[in-house]
Amino acid sequence: QVQLVESGGGWVQAGGSLRLSCAASGNTYINACMGWFRQPPGKERAAVAAIYTGVGGPGYANSVKGRFTLSQDNTKNTLYLQMNNLKPEDTAMYYCAAKAGVCSSWSEPTQFPYWGQGTQVTVSS
């Protein structure tokens, strides 16, 4: 089992920044795909970004490219999502997710068996 705990959400005005953290514990994988998803009210959960904890760079949804940056600290088993130039349409519950192996099909929530409880991000105009 893998436990994921998100933090860092909050309220911010448009153009502002937030940094989300996802701390992993339990049977954390040395080589795993870890990602962020978000779910606005009344909408489906959608992929934001993902990274393979082994070799390789992150992948981003088109809607956040150039504004969001994914990073990881493997010594702390923690994933970060730096969100800059936030827009009202970024308002959502943000979830951290993990799966073993590489980040194939990382945009599909059903590929991830482990999820955090979510952290709310609200961006006002």
Side-chain angles (χ1 to χ4, degrees):
Q1 290 291 325
V2 176
Q3 292 81 42
L4 303 172
V5 178
E6 303 99 331
S7 61
W11 176 89
V12 66
Q13 287 188 324
S17 299
L18 285 173
R19 189 178 81 154
L20 305 183
S21 299
C22 172
S25 61
N27 293 329
T28 54
Y29 298 107
I30 297 176
N31 296 309
C33 180
M34 296 189 69
W36 286 97
F37 291 77
R38 64 187 181 185
Q39 187 167 16
K43 296 185 178 181
E44 293 186 351
R45 194 168 296 189
V48 174
I51 191 167
Y52 177 53
T53 60
V55 177
Y60 298 96
N62 288 335
S63 58
V64 306
K65 280 181 180 177
R67 299 188 299 121
F68 291 11
T69 303
L70 201 56
S71 62
Q72 57 184 333
D73 184 341
N74 288 341
T75 64
K76 299 180 180 179
N77 288 331
T78 300
L79 181 72
Y80 302 99
L81 183 68
Q82 178 67 42
M83 306 186 296
N84 297 329
N85 190 22
L86 282 161
K87 304 176 181 180
E89 51 264 43
D90 294 318
T91 294
M93 183 71 79
Y94 282 70
Y95 297 92
C96 178
K99 70 182 185 82
V102 298
C103 288
S104 56
S105 301
W106 67 268
S107 62
E108 296 295 327
T110 57
Q111 296 295 313
F112 290 80
Y114 302 108
W115 292 85
Q117 81 289 350
T119 185
Q120 178 68 37
V121 171
T122 303
V123 185
S124 64
S125 57

